[in-house]
Amino acid sequence: MTARPLLSSADPGGSIATAVPARSHMTVSMAHIPKIPSQDPPQEPTWSEEGPPPPPQPPQPPLTPPREPLFMLPGSVMLMLGLMVVIHVVRSALSFTEDLEILALFAFIPARYAGDVVGFPGGVAADVWTFVTYAMLHGSWAHVITNGIWMVAFGTAVARRFGALRFWLFSAAAAAGGAAFHLIFHMGEAVPVVGASAAIAGQMAAAARFVFDGGGPLRIGRSGDPAAFRRPARSLLGILENRTAVAFIVVFFALNVAIGLGGSFSGGVSVAWQAHVGGFLVGLFTFRWFDPVSR
């Protein structure tokens, strides 16, 4: 094997440079040279103009749609209904004699005011409170349920408009007006009057002042709108311009007159229809005194 001469060169100062083999016949291995990692800068995250993206949010439960007020009774109505039921449950557990004592003390009995009848418990105080307390007593469960249905139908709208305190005071006034109107026609009778019908009749009259208007709560699509219960009410003369309200009032009086002419229902249970009429008239004419909504 013949060795090739080394190529050399000299710099101007005469020094000898290191000789290197001829490039054309030299094989150089690169395996022993370690790889140098890339010096490219790490990839920066991309931010939006508003700042970094928000952290991921945990999954949220589905939103529960708000309940429509149409299906939610006001607390004042619920309380009145509850008292009616509780009182009747308690009376059902009493003996016949004990229940008569309750009636003598809290039912409305026209004979109290005849002047020639004595022996009623409670004295003068009961002469006053029975104008209202009779409304929380009922003759049967059917009586309780029937009055409860009518109260939910008409008392609910009035309670949402008046608020709890005004609703209770208004119902008491209607009950007292119903008792007084009944007393005019039945002075001296010993038959006790019970039931919330006069108070509910007043609620029906109050509802007639605003629920039948175009923007009232009976309009389709507005039953759950609180503003529908707070719109200005019609005046007494203004009611005559609303055919629905007029028809409602006429039907109310026609039914009660028919009850009066018919005497009593089957079973011999007398209906104090004059109390209904009295409660309705009180509700119709005193509505403005209790109504918190200005014209």
Side-chain angles (χ1 to χ4, degrees):
M1 182 175 185
T2 304
R4 294 284 183 178
L6 297 177
L7 301 178
S8 64
S9 63
D11 62 11
S15 60
I16 305 298
T18 305
V20 294
R23 197 176 287 272
S24 59
H25 297 280
M26 182 176 65
T27 302
V28 181
S29 174
M30 304 295 289
H32 66 287
I33 301 176
K35 293 183 179 181
I36 300 175
S38 174
Q39 297 301 316
D40 294 338
Q43 189 69 23
E44 294 292 334
T46 302
W47 310 110
S48 62
E49 293 182 359
E50 293 81 9
Q57 298 294 326
Q60 299 293 329
L63 295 177
T64 302
R67 293 192 295 173
E68 290 291 338
L70 176 64
F71 303 103
M72 298 172 58
L73 294 179
S76 54
V77 174
M78 291 290 292
L79 179 58
M80 191 172 291
L81 291 173
L83 285 176
M84 288 164 50
V85 171
V86 170
I87 289 173
H88 199 69
V89 169
V90 172
R91 287 183 57 208
S92 300
L94 298 177
S95 66
F96 179 76
T97 302
E98 291 171 335
D99 191 48
L100 284 180
E101 294 175 357
I102 294 296
L103 291 175
L105 188 59
F106 295 106
F108 183 76
I109 306 175
R112 274 182 174 274
Y113 312 95
D116 56 350
V117 180
V118 295
F120 286 100
V124 177
D127 292 346
V128 176
W129 74 50
T130 53
F131 273 87
V132 176
T133 56
Y134 80 95
M136 302 309 294
L137 306 175
H138 290 82
S140 65
W141 278 113
H143 196 193
V144 174
I145 294 172
T146 301
N147 278 346
I149 292 173
W150 285 106
M151 184 183 297
V152 169
F154 293 96
T156 296
V158 178
R160 286 180 182 155
R161 183 182 181 94
F162 283 3
L165 180 59
R166 291 173 185 264
F167 174 74
W168 274 85
L169 291 176
F170 175 81
S171 299
F181 201 70
H182 178 85
L183 181 63
I184 295 173
F185 296 91
H186 299 276
M187 177 66 75
E189 289 188 3
V191 179
V193 178
V194 295
S197 300
I200 296 169
Q203 297 165 11
M204 295 170 70
R209 297 286 293 267
F210 67 94
V211 300
F212 296 116
D213 288 338
L218 292 187
R219 181 179 178 183
I220 297 176
R222 299 212 68 192
S223 59
D225 183 5
F229 298 93
R230 308 289 294 180
R231 67 181 310 280
R234 287 180 178 267
S235 64
L236 283 173
L237 292 178
I239 294 178
L240 300 178
E241 301 173 0
N242 188 317
R243 294 182 179 180
T244 305
V246 171
F248 175 79
I249 294 172
V250 169
V251 169
F252 174 86
F253 280 100
L255 287 176
N256 279 278
V257 170
I259 291 173
L261 295 177
S264 62
F265 285 128
S266 61
V269 178
S270 179
V271 177
W273 64 274
Q274 292 97 339
H276 301 174
V277 172
F280 194 93
L281 291 175
V282 169
L284 196 63
F285 287 100
T286 66
F287 175 84
R288 278 290 172 204
W289 301 353
F290 296 91
D291 188 20
V293 182
S294 59
R295 283 184 169 182

